[in-house]
Amino acid sequence: MESSIGKVFKYLTILALIIASLWLVVLLKFIIALIVVSAVIAYILDPIASYMEAHGLSRMQATLLIFFSLGLTIALLFYLLVPSLLIELNFLQEGIGGSQASELINKLEQTIHKTIPVLSGQDLNLYEKLQGSLQNLAQSFFTIIVDIVSVLSTSIIIPFAVFFILKDGRKMKKNLVSVIPNKYFEMFLNLVHKVDLQLGGYLRGQFLDSLIIGLLAIIALWILGIKYFVLIGIFAGLANMIPYVGPLSGMVMAVSVVFLNNGSGQEIAWVLVAFAIIQLIDNVLVQPLVLARSVNLHPLIIIFAIIIGGEFFGIIGMLIAIPVTGILKVLSIEIYQSIKRFNLI
Amino acid sequence: MTEDPVWSNIFKRNKVQEENIFSVLKRLPIFQDLSYKELKAIERILHRRTYKADEVIFKEYEPGVGMYIIESGKVNITLGKENKLLVLLSTGDFFGEMALILEGQRTASASATEPTKLLGFFQPDLFNLLETSPKTGNKILQRLAQMIAERLRLGTIENRQLKTRMNQMKSKLDELKDK
């Protein structure tokens, strides 16, 4: 038996440890974010490594092979896309300020006032909003791309971390399980496995889906000769993770770019057609194949999650809102079921 | 007393003296087809757990997801609230392998009777193995299936014997009633 003083001391120590670790988390925010990103990337790549292992490679060889092919792909992408991306971003920052653009947006505002009487009383300030959001987007892209220090550290740390997590992930998992007390150990192991099954399918599916849609959008816009095609394509791919809102916003962005560059109605129509086709391909072909094991979320929950995500972390928050909600849902259901099955409540 | 076909180790072989982990693993029926290299891989994925004397390993009716191998020490397998002792297992024995195939409730409780070291092998590990080295995984699966079939056969024989005895009792009872 412990004395009560000993108990209090123990709890205080635990509390102090928790506070200290939280403080550390805040201090090391950047590094932790990098590690999380690396873990997610490694997690997405894991089945590929397992597949290679099953075909006779060692884990080390599989990891190296994946790395070399990824490195080549990324180098190629950089070589092809980065110059045009930088030019696009520069254009974007200057291009929005044009007087033609403001006239067009004013026109747009008037049409909206006429067609939607509900909004007629309000001043929409579309121009400022659009300018603000585009500037923000460009700015955030810029900070990511131009900030040499973070780029260097990111481009060194992330591959390094991904490599080791991919190679030794199973050992790490085993070590994590080994510190769980005997009483909960089997339950924990099972929980990790269940969550892994659901989450793995979900994350990999989302990632693949976004990648395919992004590529399709880039190709389609490139064929149509739209300005900023790389940027819009990337955005459309990322936005595709957001149900309902995402596919639309990619389209809206493309249309508004055409609009701002004094595109003809025909061009706009083509862009709309292109996006409609991409959406069709996504809904009929890609999603049924890729998102077979997706997490079903109620539309209401999706909308709320997007709003909350946007409220806290802006555009990035909106992007990660649905995956995070999916993760939380899977986790909470599995934890609840495990606890119930093991009669802990 | 006839041995309980599910919980006692009916597959036990003659004890080998040197008790390193490989000889323990090699003696297990589910790993007996594996090469030294494969055993090494298995040894890497097994979970090593240490239990104090009288510590519960699992309770009856808890969901189970795998088996335990006794590396050293002794384990009591008991049944029900009154802890009726089914069998006492020792080094080199294993228990709970049914849960590897069928995720379900444990049909008995297990607790360590002295400081015990166990090796855990669980469903997720087996699935991973089937994914990364299908050959090894299939060897294990085949042995598991054989063991379960063997247990079923023994259980069926026991069941039949019980039925005949019950019928004998019944006829005796009827005779007594007639008198």
Side-chain angles (χ1 to χ4, degrees):
Chain A
M1 272 303 288
E2 277 180 310
S3 66
S4 57
I5 293 175
K7 257 191 184 159
V8 168
F9 186 72
K10 191 171 139 190
Y11 285 128
L12 278 178
T13 318
I14 289 171
L15 191 71
L17 275 176
I18 290 171
I19 291 170
S21 44
L22 281 177
W23 185 61
L24 260 181
V25 166
V26 173
L27 273 185
L28 301 173
K29 208 165 52 182
F30 179 64
I31 296 287
I32 287 170
L34 285 188
I35 301 231
V36 168
V37 169
S38 314
V40 169
I41 295 172
Y43 190 62
I44 286 170
L45 294 172
D46 185 72
I48 304 172
S50 294
Y51 177 84
M52 288 176 180
E53 255 189 299
H55 288 74
L57 289 179
S58 72
R59 188 79 186 180
M60 183 77 187
Q61 289 165 332
T63 312
L64 281 172
L65 189 60
I66 290 173
F67 246 68
F68 277 121
S69 32
L70 259 187
L72 271 176
T73 318
I74 289 170
L76 203 68
L77 276 178
F78 256 79
Y79 181 74
L80 289 174
L81 296 182
V82 164
S84 56
L85 238 180
L86 282 174
I87 293 167
E88 283 180 16
L89 282 170
N90 266 330
F91 264 132
L92 199 61
Q93 290 207 301
E94 291 159 11
I96 301 285
S99 57
Q100 285 166 322
S102 63
E103 262 173 54
L104 283 172
I105 289 178
N106 280 334
K107 259 193 237 162
L108 189 72
E109 213 165 320
Q110 279 162 12
T111 14
I112 289 178
H113 276 307
K114 274 179 203 154
T115 47
I116 312 173
V118 182
L119 296 172
S120 62
Q122 305 168 24
D123 189 11
L124 291 174
N125 282 336
L126 270 186
Y127 182 59
E128 280 86 1
K129 278 181 187 163
L130 184 74
Q131 197 170 6
S133 67
L134 279 174
Q135 210 112 45
N136 266 343
L137 187 76
Q139 212 85 51
S140 61
F141 263 117
F142 246 103
T143 46
I144 290 165
I145 287 166
V146 181
D147 190 348
I148 296 297
V149 179
S150 73
V151 164
L152 271 182
S153 59
T154 312
S155 59
I156 292 165
I157 291 170
I158 287 190
F160 201 74
V162 169
F163 183 86
F164 282 104
I165 295 172
L166 192 59
K167 187 174 144 295
D168 299 328
R170 254 175 292 161
K171 273 183 218 149
M172 292 173 187
K173 210 154 109 181
K174 199 181 152 185
N175 291 340
L176 177 74
V177 171
S178 69
V179 297
I180 305 288
N182 286 338
K183 196 177 169 186
Y184 307 110
F185 147 77
E186 207 173 327
M187 181 184 91
F188 182 81
L189 189 91
N190 199 24
L191 178 73
V192 168
H193 177 63
K194 287 263 166 60
V195 171
D196 185 21
L197 277 183
Q198 295 227 21
L199 202 63
Y202 177 69
L203 278 181
R204 284 169 203 130
Q206 283 286 19
F207 172 77
L208 208 60
D209 192 35
S210 281
L211 194 73
I212 292 168
I213 298 307
L215 282 175
L216 283 176
I218 289 177
I219 293 165
L221 295 173
W222 174 68
I223 290 170
L224 293 174
I226 308 293
K227 242 181 177 177
Y228 316 131
F229 67 96
V230 179
L231 205 58
I232 300 169
I234 292 173
F235 177 79
L238 283 173
N240 209 57
M241 281 194 249
I242 310 174
Y244 312 123
V245 188
L248 263 179
S249 59
M251 192 175 72
V252 167
M253 194 165 170
V255 169
S256 49
V257 165
V258 178
F259 201 71
L260 291 175
N261 288 305
N262 299 327
S264 60
Q266 201 185 357
E267 259 185 325
I268 291 179
W270 274 117
V271 170
L272 289 178
V273 168
F275 269 91
I277 291 171
I278 290 171
Q279 271 314 303
L280 199 69
I281 292 172
D282 186 27
N283 287 325
V284 176
L285 278 177
V286 183
Q287 281 194 2
L289 287 174
V290 167
L291 294 177
R293 297 194 56 121
S294 82
V295 184
N296 287 322
L297 292 170
H298 192 274
L300 254 183
I301 291 183
I302 288 176
I303 300 286
F304 277 126
I306 293 170
I307 292 170
I308 292 169
E311 201 61 49
F312 279 95
F313 305 103
I315 291 181
I316 304 286
M318 285 178 144
L319 286 178
I320 60 168
I322 301 307
V324 168
T325 315
I327 290 170
L328 287 177
K329 185 182 170 179
V330 171
L331 265 178
S332 52
I333 288 175
E334 286 298 338
I335 287 175
Y336 175 73
Q337 281 182 343
S338 294
I339 287 175
K340 217 169 111 178
R341 286 215 317 260
F342 278 85
N343 303 323
L344 295 176
I345 33 175
Chain B
M1 170 185 147
T2 49
E3 285 199 317
D4 185 290
V6 173
W7 286 101
S8 57
N9 187 356
I10 54 175
F11 307 95
K12 200 162 185 167
R13 302 181 180 184
N14 297 329
K15 277 244 161 136
V16 188
Q17 278 313 306
E18 52 143 1
E19 284 302 338
N20 72 11
I21 182 164
F22 284 110
S23 62
V24 168
L25 290 182
K26 193 68 197 166
R27 269 214 324 277
L28 292 177
I30 63 164
F31 298 141
Q32 71 183 49
D33 298 336
L34 304 186
S35 64
Y36 180 74
K37 204 174 147 196
E38 285 171 322
L39 279 178
K40 262 190 105 93
I42 292 286
E43 193 250 327
R44 270 203 299 272
I45 61 170
L46 291 176
H47 300 267
R48 270 199 160 82
R49 311 292 303 179
T50 350
Y51 293 82
K52 297 195 270 293
D54 295 325
E55 193 174 351
V56 174
I57 299 160
F58 55 71
K59 288 201 191 78
E60 203 177 342
Y61 304 124
E62 266 181 7
V65 284
M67 66 181 285
Y68 291 92
I69 300 148
I70 306 175
E71 197 184 353
S72 67
K74 286 190 168 56
V75 172
N76 257 337
I77 304 290
T78 57
L79 205 55
K81 283 255 187 319
E82 59 280 355
N83 287 340
K84 178 174 161 277
L85 184 64
L86 280 181
V87 64
L88 177 66
L89 300 171
S90 58
T91 307
D93 289 340
F94 60 95
F95 53 96
E97 73 284 354
M98 298 283 234
L100 265 180
I101 300 287
L102 185 72
E103 206 185 316
Q105 295 181 328
R106 298 281 188 192
T107 52
S109 303
S111 57
T113 55
E114 55 181 69
T116 299
K117 281 200 181 110
L118 297 180
L119 298 163
F121 182 54
F122 300 94
Q123 231 180 33
D125 309 325
L126 182 61
F127 289 152
N128 270 334
L129 200 66
L130 283 165
E131 212 171 279
T132 53
S133 30
K135 276 191 183 134
T136 315
N138 279 324
K139 284 180 188 173
I140 294 172
L141 273 184
Q142 198 181 353
R143 283 291 166 189
L144 262 174
Q146 278 180 8
M147 277 167 62
I148 288 164
E150 180 64 11
R151 291 221 154 117
L152 183 64
R153 199 177 62 84
L154 286 174
T156 316
I157 290 170
E158 198 177 317
N159 197 354
R160 209 174 292 149
Q161 286 169 345
L162 284 173
K163 267 191 181 146
T164 24
R165 283 199 55 193
M166 210 175 74
N167 287 335
Q168 284 168 354
M169 297 262 197
K170 236 184 169 169
S171 48
K172 268 191 183 155
L173 201 70
D174 288 343
E175 277 172 36
L176 284 172
K177 267 187 189 164
D178 290 342
K179 282 177 186 174

